[in-house]
C-alpha cells in the first residue's frame, strides 16, 4: 500500500490543509488555530484549570501554558483562584474574550460548512459518525 493510500496519512494531510485555511481566516484577529481551540474550550468548559485545559486539548502543559499566556496578554481570558482548592487557578473568558469568541465562532462555523459543502446532509452525518468511531477506537 502506498503512503498516500493510508487512512492516517490522508487524515493528517486533510487536517493540515484545513488548519492552514482556518489559520488564514483567523490571522487578521491575531489568533492561531491552537489558541482558538484553547479559547473555545475555555468558553465551553469554564471555569477550568490549566491542567484541565491541557487534558481537554490533549496537549502538554508547557504548550498550554504558552497558549494561556498569549490569551491572557490579549485580555481574552482571566485567571483567578479556585475557591475549593487555592493551589489551582481557574480560567474564564473576559467580556472581550466573549465578544471575540462569538465573532470567531461564526467564522469557524462558516469555514466548517465550506469544508463539508461537497457532502450531502446524509453524507455529513455518516462522515461524522465514522470519524467518531475512529476516534473512540484509539
Amino acid at each position: 500500500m502506498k503512503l498516500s493510500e493510508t487512512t492516517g496519512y490522508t487524515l493528517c494531510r486533510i487536517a493540515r490543509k484545513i488548519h492552514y485555511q482556518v489559520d488564514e481566516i483567523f490571522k487578521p484577529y491575531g489568533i492561531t488555530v491552537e489558541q482558538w481551540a484553547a479559547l473555545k474550550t475555555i468558553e465551553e468548559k469554564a471555569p477550568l484549570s490549566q491542567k484541565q485545559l491541557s487534558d481537554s486539548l490533549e496537549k502538554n502543559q508547557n504548550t498550554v501554558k504558552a497558549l494561556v499566556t498569549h490569551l491572557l496578554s490579549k485580555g481574552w481570558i482571566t485567571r483567578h483562584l479556585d475557591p475549593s482548592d487555592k493551589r489551582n487557578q481557574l480560567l474564564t473568558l473576559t467580556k472581550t474574550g466573549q465578544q471575540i469568541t462569538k465573532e470567531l465562532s461564526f467564522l469557524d462555523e462558516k469555514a466548517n460548512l465550506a469544508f463539508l459543502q461537497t457532502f450531502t446532509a446524509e453524507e455529513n452525518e455518516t462522515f461524522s459518525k465514522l470519524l467518531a468511531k475512529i476516534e473512540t477506537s484509539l
Side-chain angles (χ1 to χ4, degrees):
M1 177 182 291
K2 292 181 182 179
L3 177 63
S4 61
E5 296 170 349
T6 64
T7 303
Y9 184 76
T10 301
L11 286 172
C12 285
R13 238 183 32 249
I14 293 167
R16 193 171 30 256
K17 288 178 181 183
I18 290 171
H19 184 116
Y20 291 148
Q21 289 181 22
V22 174
D23 251 349
E24 285 301 310
I25 292 167
F26 287 166
K27 192 178 281 186
Y29 297 87
I31 189 169
T32 65
V33 172
E34 289 83 6
Q35 293 161 0
W36 166 243
L39 189 66
K40 188 67 175 169
T41 301
I42 294 167
E43 179 207 33
E44 292 173 357
K45 298 183 178 188
L48 76 164
S49 70
Q50 203 162 295
K51 167 83 169 87
Q52 291 169 316
L53 179 60
S54 176
D55 292 344
S56 291
L57 295 174
E58 298 178 349
K59 293 199 176 276
N60 74 50
Q61 290 187 34
N62 287 333
T63 299
V64 170
K65 181 180 178 182
L67 294 172
V68 167
T69 299
H70 181 80
L71 297 175
L72 284 165
S73 73
K74 291 279 195 177
W76 293 342
I77 64 170
T78 186
R79 274 194 294 225
H80 56 279
L81 286 178
D82 181 345
S84 64
D85 184 350
K86 301 289 186 206
R87 296 171 295 172
N88 279 333
Q89 291 194 355
L90 299 176
L91 305 171
T92 57
L93 296 183
T94 62
K95 291 282 185 202
T96 306
Q98 291 170 3
Q99 291 169 344
I100 195 70
T101 301
K102 184 177 179 180
E103 193 170 338
L104 293 176
S105 289
F106 172 77
L107 294 174
D108 192 38
E109 288 170 23
K110 188 176 171 183
N112 276 299
L113 289 173
F115 298 139
L116 299 173
Q117 72 182 355
T118 59
F119 292 158
T120 65
E122 185 179 320
E123 288 171 331
N124 272 324
E125 186 177 328
T126 300
F127 182 64
S128 292
K129 286 179 182 176
L130 292 171
L131 287 175
K133 193 171 185 177
I134 290 171
E135 184 175 25
T136 58
S137 74
L138 301 176

